[in-house]
């Protein structure tokens, strides 16, 4: 930014006037004799106010300053630099969001539930993580007895499982979304992999139908013992769900059925969920079990994100 002498002092920006005044005060401070006598203190408040009030007859402190020789570039703002700072801030926020996220919650038995997850790809919403139960060694006899009392006479053991999940687009008009999840628990010698296909169909302005088909494979291993070899068992399962959602009333009705290799028939289940007010819902369900009994449940939930 450049200025010429033809503009006059009254048309210069206020920021420029402040900058010049600071420069003049600095120059004035440098030319004061080192042994100049100290000014006498005013006798009363009237003299103090008079000394602080500027007078039109006071000498011009800016006299002798050449405007053309001032470095106005110090006041200039480079738009490119400002945009680079904003872009760097956005990159830092994105890195913090996509970085490793840790959370921990204390359990009643003295252990801690630790969860860690990290985003791998934002294109397919791919994530990896681990769910762990971490126990602490008892430091005193009272802590040892307390941990055994809350765990049926045994000390709690640390455990954990690793998982990976991804959400991808569907296949045209056949389905809308594909979700895949895999989990491995080395301590329990258990692993699971599952996939689900989801299709949403609008029925009216405020009503929609969501269809979902899920498939899963559970693998359970046994530890080899002396004289007895370990073996692996697999359980295959599938589930089908239809959900009708009414947006205006916050009501959803679900009907579905599941089938696995451990059962000899489809197990059906129906349920409903009602949103009472912000973040509070009530849900209930009735379903069949492999033993032939009816399983009924009623629950209320509160969910808040910040």
């Amino acid at each position: 930014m450049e200025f010429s002498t033809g503009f006059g002092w009254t048309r210069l920006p206020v920021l420029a006037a402040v900058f010049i005044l600071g420069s003049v005060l600095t120059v004035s401070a440098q030319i004061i004799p080192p042994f100049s006598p100290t000014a006498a203190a005013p006798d009363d408040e009237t003299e103090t106010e008079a000394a602080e009030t500027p007078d039109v007859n006071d000498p011009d402190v800016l006299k002798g300053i050449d405007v053309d020789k001032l470095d106005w570039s110090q006041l200039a703002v480079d738009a490119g630099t400002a945009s680079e700072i904003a872009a760097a801030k956005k990159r830092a926020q994105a890195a913090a969001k996509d970085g490793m996220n840790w959370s921990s919650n204390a359990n009643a038995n003295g252990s801690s539930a630790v969860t860690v997850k990290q985003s791998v790809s934002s294109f397919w919403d791919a994530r990896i993580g681990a769910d762990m139960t971490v126990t602490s060694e008892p430091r005193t006899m009272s802590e040892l007895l307390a941990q055994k009392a809350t765990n049926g006479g045994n000390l709690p053991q640390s455990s954990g499982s690793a998982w990976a999940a991804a959400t991808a687009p569907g296949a045209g008009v056949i389905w809308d979304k594909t979700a895949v999840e895999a989990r491995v628990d080395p301590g329990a010698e258990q692993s699971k992999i599952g996939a689900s296909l989801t299709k949403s169909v609008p029925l009216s302005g405020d009503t929609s139908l969501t269809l979902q088909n899920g498939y899963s494979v559970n693998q359970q291993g046994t530890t080899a013992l002396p004289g007895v070899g370990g073996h692996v068992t697999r359980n295959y399962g599938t589930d089908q769900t239809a959900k009708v959602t009414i947006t205006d009333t916050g009501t959803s009705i679900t009907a579905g059925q599941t089938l696995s290799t451990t059962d000899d028939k489809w197990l059906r289940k129906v349920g409903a969920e009602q949103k009472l007010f912000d973040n509070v819902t009530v849900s209930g369900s009735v379903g069949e079990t492999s033993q032939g009994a009816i399983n009924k449940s009623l629950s209320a939930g509160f969910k808040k994100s910040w």
Side-chain angles (χ1 to χ4, degrees), residues 11-146:
R11 300 184 60 183
L12 289 177
V14 176
L15 184 60
V18 175
F19 179 82
I20 297 173
L21 181 59
S23 301
V24 172
L25 293 177
T26 303
V27 174
S28 301
Q30 293 176 352
I31 63 176
I32 294 176
F35 299 99
S36 58
T38 305
D43 296 336
D44 50 27
E45 297 181 358
T46 305
E47 294 182 2
T48 303
E49 294 178 358
E52 294 178 354
T53 304
D55 192 355
V56 294
N57 297 324
D58 290 343
D60 188 5
V61 295
L62 303 179
K63 185 178 179 180
I65 301 299
D66 189 355
V67 180
D68 293 335
K69 294 183 179 180
L70 293 177
D71 187 9
W72 296 100
S73 62
Q74 299 295 330
L75 304 178
V77 178
D78 187 358
T81 303
S83 61
E84 290 178 1
I85 295 175
K89 184 177 180 180
K90 291 182 179 180
R91 289 194 298 268
Q93 293 176 348
K97 181 179 179 181
D98 296 337
M100 191 171 294
N101 184 13
W102 291 80
S103 63
S104 176
N105 294 313
N107 296 325
N109 60 358
S111 62
S112 298
V114 181
T115 300
V116 56
K117 60 182 179 180
Q118 183 176 11
S119 176
V120 178
S121 173
S122 59
F123 179 72
W124 273 15
D125 190 19
R127 308 168 305 279
I128 58 174
D131 299 328
M132 297 168 285
T133 300
V134 181
T135 61
S136 59
E137 293 293 334
R139 293 170 294 181
T140 62
M141 182 59 66
S142 59
E143 290 183 1
L144 176 62
L145 296 177

Side-chain angles (χ1 to χ4, degrees), residues 184-197:
V184 177
D185 187 347
E189 298 186 14
Q190 185 178 13
S191 61
K192 177 182 179 180
I193 184 171
S196 63
L197 310 177

Side-chain angles (χ1 to χ4, degrees), residues 219-241:
Q219 179 173 292
Q220 180 66 58
T222 58
T223 304
L225 299 175
V228 179
H231 64 280
V232 176
T233 59
R234 293 183 178 88
N235 179 24
Y236 300 89
T238 180
D239 62 87
Q240 301 172 354
T241 305

